[in-house]
Amino acid sequence: MKYRDEYRTPDAARGYADTIARITTRPWTLMEVCGGQTHAIVRFGIDQLLPETISLIHGPGCPVCVTPIAYIDKALEIAGLPGVILCTFGDMLRVPGTHSDLSAARARGADIRVVYSPLEALTVARENPGDEVVFFAVGFETTAPANAMAVYQAERAGLENFSVLVSQVLVPPAIRALLDRPGNQVQGFLAAGHVCTITGYEAYEPIAREHGVPIVVTGFEPLDILEGVYRCVRQLEKGESCVENQYSRAVRRPGNAMAQHVMQAVFQMVPRQWRGMGDIPASGLGVSLAYRSFDAEARFGTVNGEAETQGECLSGAVLRGEIRPDQCPAFGTRCTPERPLGVTMVSEEGACAAYYRYRRPAGG
Amino acid sequence: MAHGGGGRAMAQLLDDIFRPAFDNAWLAQQHDGAVVDMPGAMAFTTDSYVVRPLFFPGSDIGTMAVHGTVNDLAMCGARPQYLSAGFILEEGLPLATLCRVVDSMAAAAVEAGVQIVTGDLKVVERGKADGVYINTAGVGKVVAPKPVEPARVQAGDRILLSGDLGRHGVAVMTAREKLELESAIESDCASVVQPVLALLEEGIDVRCLRDLTRGGLASALVEVSESAGLAAEIREVDIPVREDVSAFCELLGLDPLHVANEGRFITIVAEQDVARATDILRQYPVSQGAVEIGHFVQGPAGLVTASSMIGASRVIDRLSGEQLPRIC
């Protein structure tokens, strides 16, 4: 398959791994900030090819995982109201709220529908004029333009029964927050290619400069990730810290202007709580005043952010890159995809789920 | 509702639709059950079919209801002979739709060489079902000289996959969600009875067979590996997945190894039988893409590992819950 198979060839992978080993003179710790990359690293065993001196740690890159529990609770509350159809992406169904999840609510009779794009939720609204249709708009910058476009089109079409419950988050503030944490170990970042397709990478340049960390915009195929690691290590070994674009076949420095335009029209930057990371200023998107009538929080009441109770689950430390999933005492024993303790095991993109699926200890 | 009441309307439905389609001597007796002759060991299985939509690219619920059950019998090393068919119909189902389903079942039964000899019909209120639910049970005569079961799998045995993966699951998903794809992906739904019987008739010592329905190849391998008390190693690069299926899975974050199939199976044989078994399988359209994908080894029961495309290894696990499309 063009644009895929050529990024999966074993010889080239081995070539990158050998080059990385050759130029590495001391240990380096790198973080990827995208669940898709985490998944690829573990699925293809990319970390197995790297020298032991390179540690890849998995950051808060799963949009499902970082969605605060208060939003899940709000979605459940809204879905439980009579005459409401809640539309959501499939992977939100099993994310635990305080007492339940959307999958269980659906089984109890709530009208919760899985959609593949926010524009499908608009169609549901058109086809059910007697119902309130709420789209649960979750994700990083990758999903924001399409979610914004749904609101924009609803406004143009005069759809009064459509609104969005927005839990959009932004990557650069999260990277800053990670770097500012005491005891941070991350020395370089693989930035998420898909995110940068939309936003470009200008916003990463001051972070790289001010914090002295290399940031490499990286794709999702094995060779993309290996090249991203190589470029990061090369900078670290030379004492450099700038932004490089490995994923140039999809990403341009300014990003996608049209996508940014619709995002900026419909959304505005807001402070956001992240699961496992706490409050991060200006790290989320909320509905702008001009489109407030499409904000589900305006119709159904605002989300009450509450402190998370972590219990036995260490998913917060996993999301912050402080531990690997298999370093959690509950991993693979008391915490499995069938009986998950935390969201990083629930979500397909979560680091714990990826480790459980592809890296479970023998017989575990 | 009258059609399910056991009265005249139901009798008329049976006479008009079911008996002509499934026409055979046992049905013609119009008895409460079928009296059949089954000397020797027999295999017996049942399955229920609740697919939505009823018709999807390449197949439909009626074809699945026959092929699914005859394939289960074949996986026991048996030649399928008789099926029962139980229908639960939703009130308001167009008779034309029912006729299409029944015709599909009849055609699938002919293809698989089985007779539908008894059945049942119920009608439930509108809104209580998705049009048609079908249960089929089947019996078949065991023709394998040795048991076909995971307990006979030994370290060193080879795993043959009968063809490409994932088409059924993707076809149903695209039809259900009305996803418009450039290329129409058709279900692989088919009877695998012929190649399985051929393997047995040619004297291949088939250790174990498993069809790759819900849970896909991954779940089947883990199950066999657990029951056999062995580990398994497969080579991801050797597993055929059509390009459009692969692209669809990439798009939605699905793993083709977990996607459902309705006409695919694995055959486990000793190393010395690999070449001959592969040749036999390739003589049949449904298994012409047969390929060896790995083998069993001494190791923890249930541990299935795959060498990845870039030469590293990963664990293959059962699917947890249902496959859900991810956000990005």
Side-chain angles (χ1 to χ4, degrees):
Chain A
M1 189 185 298
K2 190 155 169 58
Y3 299 123
R4 197 196 68 181
D5 292 348
E6 62 267 45
Y7 294 97
R8 293 184 177 181
T9 57
D11 290 348
R14 179 61 58 191
Y16 272 119
D18 290 346
T19 308
I20 292 165
R22 200 174 62 244
I23 66 167
T24 304
T25 61
R26 55 193 163 125
W28 299 112
T29 300
L30 312 178
M31 174 182 273
E32 83 278 355
V33 199
C34 166
Q37 289 171 339
T38 305
H39 203 76
I41 287 167
V42 187
R43 175 179 172 193
F44 291 102
I46 293 167
D47 49 343
Q48 295 169 25
L49 299 183
L50 295 173
E52 285 181 6
T53 42
I54 307 293
S55 300
L56 292 184
I57 58 175
H58 318 302
C62 161
V64 176
C65 300
V66 299
T67 301
I69 199 162
Y71 277 89
I72 309 295
D73 289 344
K74 190 70 191 179
L76 282 161
E77 180 192 320
I78 293 172
L81 297 171
V84 167
I85 301 170
L86 184 85
C87 295
T88 178
F89 292 128
D91 48 2
M92 295 305 295
L93 280 186
R94 293 178 60 219
V95 182
T98 305
H99 300 296
S100 183
D101 60 39
L102 292 169
S103 179
R106 187 166 72 167
R108 288 193 300 269
D111 194 344
I112 297 172
R113 302 185 190 181
V114 172
V115 292
Y116 291 79
S117 107
L119 298 178
E120 270 185 73
L122 273 187
T123 307
V124 174
R126 280 194 200 95
E127 290 172 353
N128 297 274
D131 292 314
E132 280 283 341
V133 174
V134 181
F135 177 65
F136 195 5
V138 176
F140 288 109
E141 292 94 327
T142 35
T143 57
N147 293 346
M149 183 56 79
V151 173
Y152 178 76
Q153 291 200 357
E155 197 260 343
R156 291 195 58 172
L159 270 179
E160 292 182 355
N161 66 330
F162 179 79
S163 60
V164 284
L165 177 64
V166 183
S167 180
Q168 298 274 177
V169 283
L170 303 170
V171 173
I175 291 184
R176 275 192 191 275
L178 280 165
L179 288 168
D180 287 339
R181 288 184 78 86
N184 164 61
Q185 301 168 31
V186 182
Q187 294 161 299
F189 285 93
L190 305 184
H194 286 174
V195 166
C196 296
T197 307
I198 307 294
T199 62
Y201 51 87
E202 287 170 287
Y204 294 84
E205 288 167 347
I207 302 175
R209 198 168 51 241
E210 291 162 22
H211 289 270
V213 290
I215 300 177
V216 179
V217 178
T218 303
F220 302 84
E221 293 299 333
L223 293 192
D224 288 328
I225 292 168
L226 282 162
E227 187 184 345
V229 170
Y230 163 69
R231 288 189 183 210
C232 235
V233 171
R234 187 175 62 182
Q235 282 197 47
L236 286 165
E237 289 286 343
K238 288 183 182 172
E240 295 173 354
S241 54
C242 62
V243 177
E244 286 187 56
N245 181 14
Q246 181 279 331
Y247 201 38
S248 58
R249 66 184 185 277
V251 173
R252 301 283 173 271
R253 186 168 180 272
N256 181 329
M258 193 177 287
Q260 290 168 25
H261 177 73
V262 68
M263 272 167 72
Q264 285 157 8
V266 172
F267 293 137
Q268 60 184 15
M269 237 181 254
V270 292
R272 181 71 77 203
Q273 189 192 52
W274 293 52
R275 214 189 268 234
M277 304 250 301
D279 294 314
I280 304 177
S283 68
L285 296 173
V287 180
S288 66
L289 282 177
Y291 289 87
R292 188 169 157 71
S293 60
F294 295 94
D295 187 352
E297 289 193 70
R299 290 189 197 191
F300 302 99
T302 52
V303 173
N304 296 311
E306 289 171 15
E308 297 168 63
T309 50
Q310 201 65 48
E312 187 185 6
C313 174
L314 300 181
S315 60
V318 172
L319 286 167
R320 294 189 295 273
E322 292 168 3
I323 61 165
R324 282 199 324 265
D326 53 0
Q327 290 171 325
C328 172
F331 176 79
T333 53
R334 294 180 302 286
C335 182
T336 64
E338 282 73 31
R339 290 171 158 259
L341 292 177
V343 71
T344 45
M345 184 63 91
V346 173
S347 167
E348 286 275 315
E349 290 231 339
C352 295
Y355 265 64
Y356 186 87
R357 181 187 277 188
Y358 299 127
R359 201 58 65 74
R360 198 158 25 119
Chain B
M1 290 296 288
H3 284 116
R8 189 171 295 151
M10 182 166 146
Q12 191 179 349
L13 197 62
L14 294 176
D15 285 341
D16 290 351
I17 295 178
F18 291 92
R19 288 204 180 90
F22 301 153
D23 183 35
N24 59 55
W26 294 270
L27 274 182
Q29 292 172 355
Q30 302 198 24
H31 200 9
D32 277 354
V35 178
V36 296
D37 201 15
M38 291 288 294
M42 62 175 237
F44 180 27
T45 186
T46 184
D47 207 342
S48 299
Y49 300 85
V50 295
V51 65
R52 182 174 55 87
L54 301 176
F55 302 92
F56 47 86
S59 193
D60 61 82
I61 189 171
T63 309
M64 264 180 79
V66 172
H67 285 159
T69 294
V70 298
N71 288 349
D72 283 347
L73 292 171
M75 294 302 108
C76 304
R79 178 192 299 279
Q81 286 178 277
Y82 306 109
L83 296 188
S84 72
F87 292 83
I88 296 174
L89 311 181
E90 183 184 2
E91 187 181 21
L93 176 81
L95 281 182
T97 304
L98 181 62
C99 286
R100 270 181 76 187
V101 171
V102 170
D103 285 347
S104 293
M105 289 183 77
V110 169
E111 185 193 338
V114 295
Q115 309 281 353
I116 298 173
V117 295
T118 186
D120 179 48
L121 177 70
K122 296 284 187 298
V123 179
V124 295
E125 287 171 42
R126 186 188 286 269
K128 302 285 188 192
D130 286 325
V132 183
Y133 296 148
I134 304 174
N135 171 277
T136 49
V139 290
K141 181 175 166 50
V142 175
V143 292
K146 293 180 186 169
V148 175
E149 59 188 24
R152 287 191 59 238
V153 177
Q154 298 170 20
D157 283 357
R158 305 289 152 157
I159 304 162
L160 303 180
L161 169 64
S162 68
D164 66 309
L165 292 183
R167 276 192 281 126
H168 175 73
V170 169
V172 170
M173 212 178 298
T174 52
R176 181 183 302 160
E177 311 298 345
K178 301 187 178 68
L179 300 175
E180 288 163 13
L181 299 180
E182 279 181 28
S183 66
I185 298 169
E186 296 199 332
S187 167
D188 55 37
C189 188
S191 161
V192 303
V193 171
Q194 280 190 319
V196 168
L197 291 178
L199 288 171
L200 297 170
E201 283 161 8
E202 296 285 336
I204 302 288
D205 179 12
V206 177
R207 299 272 168 77
C208 184
L209 296 160
R210 189 61 59 108
D211 58 352
L212 313 178
T213 51
R214 283 185 306 166
L217 174 66
S219 295
L221 283 172
V222 173
E223 282 167 20
V224 173
S225 167
E226 272 177 359
S227 306
L230 295 168
E233 293 175 358
I234 58 170
R235 298 176 299 275
E236 203 167 9
V237 71
D238 289 338
I239 297 172
V241 180
R242 248 171 53 167
E243 197 165 291
D244 47 6
V245 172
S246 175
F248 180 89
C249 290
E250 292 271 329
L251 191 67
L252 292 183
L254 309 176
D255 187 340
L257 268 53
H258 284 132
V259 176
N261 313 275
E262 280 295 333
R264 290 286 171 261
F265 63 104
I266 50 172
T267 309
I268 296 156
V269 295
E271 187 179 3
Q272 66 267 20
D273 283 338
V274 167
R276 214 154 56 87
T278 309
D279 286 345
I280 293 166
L281 289 173
R282 286 181 181 166
Q283 290 167 17
Y284 295 87
V286 72
S287 53
Q288 65 184 1
V291 61
E292 187 201 332
I293 59 165
H295 59 283
F296 283 86
V297 292
Q298 292 292 351
L303 180 69
V304 180
T305 53
S307 54
S308 77
M309 290 172 186
I310 62 165
S313 79
R314 63 154 164 151
V315 172
I316 303 289
D317 197 12
R318 276 196 182 93
L319 178 62
S320 301
E322 58 178 323
Q323 284 213 311
L324 296 167
R326 68 176 185 225
I327 286 179
C328 67

